[in-house]
């Protein structure tokens, strides 16, 4: 009888494992810092700000620390980069990287550049989209280009050193128009000018536009992605509309140079766990973010390759420092 009971207990345990019953979630990984500051140059509500604030809701499931987002605005990211580049390389301070920090470094004389920081991890690529106000005169990208040919037009970007700026400049060239590209310090200011009709269109990211899209105040006219977005299958690509321009944005974290190898390894493991988290997956899927996790080595190569391509583009456009 004892052997039978033991066998039954083993069978029940095996069934529980197969069904995922009674299995405790893995504890978050030990970390050398109790508080970690994640710095962004974005204003509250901007793309990187939203990215960080959504991420930290789930991040302490994987890293045993408290995460704080700090908005350090000014100089198209120059102040934020300087703050992070000069911090101790002890895993306590990181910067939310996007192509902007490369563009700022290439286009301006700044105290600290992307070369003064160490890419820690890349997490996503996300879409750049063209949007306009719903009650405005533009229903498609072709409408926007036709207006620009007739009356020049005004297109908005979040700041002068950004992938959005490059996307707008490349579209201008491909379309053969001379629209004025108006830069802002953040996505919030640009949105105001799109909604009040000061700008014909803005270039931005889905997460920045989410509330206005859901409220029906703005519409997407095109995406700069290589293919249509899963969440917006009716929105054509810029290339489909006849203009050979494709750009895509990376998102990740960088820190002061000299991060301990164990810190880099923790972040890579945490990000791989995070993007597989069903709760977080719902969040980033809704924002049309594509998970593309790379550890420090892969992230560094991605950034260096992007910088080389961007420097060539900016020199051709006469915009590199």
């Amino acid at each position: 009888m004892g052997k039978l009971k033991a066998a039954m207990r083993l069978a029940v345990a095996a069934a529980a494992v197969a069904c995922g019953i009674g299995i405790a979630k893995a504890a978050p990984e030990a970390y050398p810092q109790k508080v970690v500051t994640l710095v962004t140059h974005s204003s509250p509500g901007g793309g990187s700000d939203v990215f960080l604030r959504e991420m930290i809701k789930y991040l302490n499931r994987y890293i045993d620390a408290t995460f704080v987002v700090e908005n350090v605005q000014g100089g198209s990211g120059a102040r934020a980069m300087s703050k992070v580049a000069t911090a101790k390389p002890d895993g306590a301070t990181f910067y939310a990287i996007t192509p902007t920090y490369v563009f700022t470094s290439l286009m301006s004389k700044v105290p600290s550049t992307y070369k003064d920081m160490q890419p820690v991890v890349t997490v996503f690529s996300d879409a750049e989209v063209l949007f306009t106000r719903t009650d405005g005169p533009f229903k498609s990208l072709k409408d926007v280009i036709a207006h620009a040919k007739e009356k020049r037009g005004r297109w908005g970007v979040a700041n002068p050193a950004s992938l959005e700026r490059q996307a707008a400049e490349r579209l201008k060239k491909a379309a053969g128009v001379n629209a004025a590209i108006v830069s802002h310090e953040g996505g919030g200011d640009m949105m105001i000018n799109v909604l009040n009709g000061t700008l014909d269109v803005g270039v931005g990211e889905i997460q920045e536009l989410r509330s206005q899209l859901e409220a029906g105040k703005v519409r997407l006219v095109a995406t700069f992605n290589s293919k249509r977005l899963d969440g917006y299958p009716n929105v054509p690509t810029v290339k489909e509309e006849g203009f050979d321009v494709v750009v895509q944005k990376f998102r990740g974290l960088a820190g002061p140079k000299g991060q301990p190898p164990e810190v880099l390894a923790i972040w890579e493991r945490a990000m791989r766990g995070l993007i597989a988290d069903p709760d977080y997956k719902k969040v980033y899927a809704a924002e049309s973010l594509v998970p593309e996790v790379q550890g420090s080595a892969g992230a560094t190569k991605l950034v260096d390759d992007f910088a080389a391509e961007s420097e060539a583009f900016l020199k051709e456009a006469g915009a590199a420092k």
Side-chain angles (χ1 to χ4, degrees):
M1 182 64 72
K3 289 183 178 179
L4 179 59
K5 286 183 177 179
M8 289 176 67
R9 282 196 296 270
L10 286 171
V12 170
V17 170
C19 297
I21 298 171
I23 299 174
K25 214 176 228 183
E29 202 165 348
Y31 195 71
Q33 303 293 337
K34 292 297 182 186
V35 179
V36 178
T37 300
L38 303 178
V39 177
T40 175
H41 64 266
S42 288
S43 57
S48 289
D49 178 74
V50 172
F51 160 64
L52 292 178
R53 293 185 190 279
E54 288 295 337
M55 182 175 71
I56 65 174
K57 293 177 183 177
Y58 308 91
L59 190 52
N60 57 14
R61 296 179 181 181
Y62 303 93
I63 297 178
D64 187 15
T66 298
F67 298 94
V68 178
V69 176
E70 183 177 350
N71 301 85
V72 180
Q73 296 174 251
S76 296
R79 287 188 60 217
M81 288 195 293
S82 181
K83 179 181 178 69
V84 174
T86 56
K88 291 182 179 179
D90 56 4
T93 308
F94 297 102
Y95 178 53
I97 60 171
T98 68
T100 293
Y101 95 129
V102 174
F103 285 125
T104 296
S105 302
L106 295 175
M107 295 175 67
S108 310
K109 291 184 178 180
V110 292
S112 301
T113 74
Y114 77 93
K115 294 180 180 179
D116 298 312
M117 285 180 278
Q118 179 178 9
V120 172
V121 64
T122 52
V123 188
F124 296 113
S125 64
D126 63 349
E128 295 290 359
V129 295
L130 276 160
F131 66 98
T132 188
R133 71 187 196 277
T134 304
D135 60 358
F138 308 110
K139 310 302 180 187
S140 68
L141 177 56
K142 290 177 180 177
D143 291 342
V144 174
I145 299 301
H147 177 75
K149 287 183 175 179
E150 183 181 353
K151 296 185 177 179
R152 191 182 183 195
R154 291 167 63 86
W155 303 350
V157 297
N159 63 62
S162 64
L163 188 62
E164 290 89 345
R165 179 63 182 261
Q166 184 183 131
E169 294 288 358
R170 288 177 61 186
L171 179 58
K172 270 179 59 175
K173 183 176 180 180
V177 299
N178 191 32
I181 307 298
V182 183
S183 59
H184 303 73
E185 270 299 332
D189 293 338
M190 178 177 62
M191 177 60 74
I192 290 170
N193 287 327
V194 171
L195 292 175
N196 67 21
T198 301
L199 298 170
D200 303 335
V201 290
V203 182
E205 300 139 20
I206 297 293
Q207 58 267 43
E208 290 181 312
L209 313 179
R210 173 65 58 194
S211 61
Q212 301 296 344
L213 281 168
E214 291 178 348
K217 292 186 177 180
V218 299
R219 72 159 57 90
L220 306 183
V221 295
T223 173
F224 285 97
N225 272 32
S226 59
K227 60 181 182 179
R228 295 192 181 202
L229 305 176
D230 290 343
Y232 299 89
N234 295 325
V235 177
T237 67
V238 170
K239 193 167 185 176
E240 283 179 312
E241 294 290 86
F243 309 104
D244 191 11
V245 180
V246 176
V247 296
Q248 208 158 334
K249 188 174 211 171
F250 61 81
R251 288 196 177 278
L253 297 172
K257 280 191 169 182
Q259 296 292 323
E262 60 271 21
V263 165
L264 299 177
I266 288 170
W267 276 98
E268 182 175 357
R269 287 193 296 268
M271 287 300 132
R272 294 193 185 281
L274 183 63
I275 64 164
D277 188 307
D279 295 329
Y280 187 51
K281 190 175 285 189
K282 292 176 186 175
V283 174
Y284 69 73
E287 305 298 348
S288 297
L289 295 173
V290 179
E292 292 184 3
V293 175
Q294 294 193 67
S296 184
T300 300
K301 183 178 187 307
L302 184 154
V303 169
D304 288 345
D305 289 349
F306 178 84
E309 293 171 4
S310 297
E311 186 171 18
F313 170 81
L314 292 170
K315 283 181 176 177
E316 182 184 346
K321 66 183 180 183

